[in-house]
Amino acid sequence: MEEFIAKTSDGAEIETYFLPAGPLAVILCHGKAFDRDSFVEYGQTLREEGYTVAIPNFRGYGRSTVGQEGVDAIEYDVIAVAKELEAKGHPAVALGASRGGGGVLRAVALNPNQFRAVITWSTVAVSDEVANRLGNIPKLFIVSESEMMHDQTLAVYREAPEPKMLKQIPGGRHAQKIWQGPDRDLIEQYVREFLKAL
């Protein structure tokens, strides 16, 4: 598997798996309890469907370094990976799970023109200001019906501007654990249909 290092505006270096395929790229952003390896299998699935894929280790994970803004400023990591993909000719969709969901939303709010669309699985809470600044790119929010992040995911969804879509998965699995559970086919279907419509 190929790799690249994305350099952030605050001086971090983000190690990133790179699976090249078609023009549109998907950045897979892991949650707090995971690292980039947890998304490799899904990344390979997306590449087989024709998408280029980038899977970063957020700052402080693996060999990724922490920049001047600190360990929690993962939005800078997402932006840096998107810019690296753009330089390679790939407009990017940012997909984040749990903490990674909050990271991609904050990244889009900082620079909505950098992204083609945004997808979250069970996002952590972000401020109404962030939600309001997500721009006019397509947005897909996915969450389990009875999981711990359900209410805050819906709160972000309500504040986000159109176009937007909400999909709820049965059960209580959180973030990447949705994908690891019995509704894997369903979550992959939702993402597949969303990406095809872009």
Side-chain angles (χ1 to χ4, degrees):
M1 188 170 356
E2 298 181 41
E3 289 190 324
F4 63 75
I5 300 294
K7 296 185 178 182
T8 72
S9 61
D10 71 329
E13 295 188 349
I14 306 303
E15 62 175 359
T16 307
Y17 290 138
F18 181 55
L19 292 72
L24 185 64
V26 181
I27 307 170
L28 298 178
C29 298
H30 64 82
K32 184 175 184 178
F34 298 90
D35 61 17
R36 65 177 179 167
D37 288 339
S38 65
F39 260 140
V40 167
E41 184 180 354
Y42 187 49
Q44 291 169 337
T45 296
L46 288 171
R47 180 171 62 176
E48 290 169 3
E49 294 177 358
Y51 301 102
T52 288
V53 179
I55 315 173
N57 253 342
F58 282 135
R59 54 185 60 205
Y61 289 78
R63 296 180 313 238
S64 292
T65 61
V66 178
Q68 296 174 353
E69 295 296 326
V71 71
D72 291 326
I74 59 175
E75 58 268 30
Y76 295 102
D77 306 351
V78 180
I79 291 171
V81 172
K83 288 183 175 179
E84 182 69 24
L85 289 167
E86 182 181 48
K88 296 176 181 296
H90 301 286
V93 175
L95 184 157
S98 190
R99 181 174 183 250
V104 301
L105 292 173
R106 295 194 304 275
V108 171
L110 284 172
N111 195 348
N113 294 328
Q114 187 68 63
F115 299 92
R116 181 69 182 82
V118 61
I119 303 168
T120 72
W121 295 357
S122 316
T123 184
V124 299
V126 297
S127 68
D128 288 353
E129 179 184 4
V130 167
N132 291 331
R133 291 170 52 200
L134 293 175
N136 61 1
I137 64 172
K139 306 160 199 72
L140 173 61
F141 296 84
I142 300 173
V143 68
S144 295
E145 292 174 340
S146 59
E147 69 148 296
M148 58 185 172
M149 299 293 189
H150 177 270
D151 291 351
Q152 60 197 49
T153 299
L154 265 62
V156 177
Y157 168 77
R158 284 193 295 267
E159 291 296 323
E162 296 284 354
K164 60 186 178 182
M165 182 182 305
L166 174 68
K167 296 290 187 180
Q168 299 193 62
I169 300 287
R173 290 179 179 265
H174 173 66
Q176 283 149 284
K177 291 183 179 178
I178 302 173
W179 181 69
Q180 295 167 354
D183 296 301
R184 173 174 174 166
D185 289 346
L186 187 59
I187 195 169
E188 290 190 7
Q189 174 191 334
Y190 290 154
V191 174
R192 185 181 303 113
E193 291 173 352
F194 179 78
L195 291 174
K196 283 183 177 179
L198 296 177

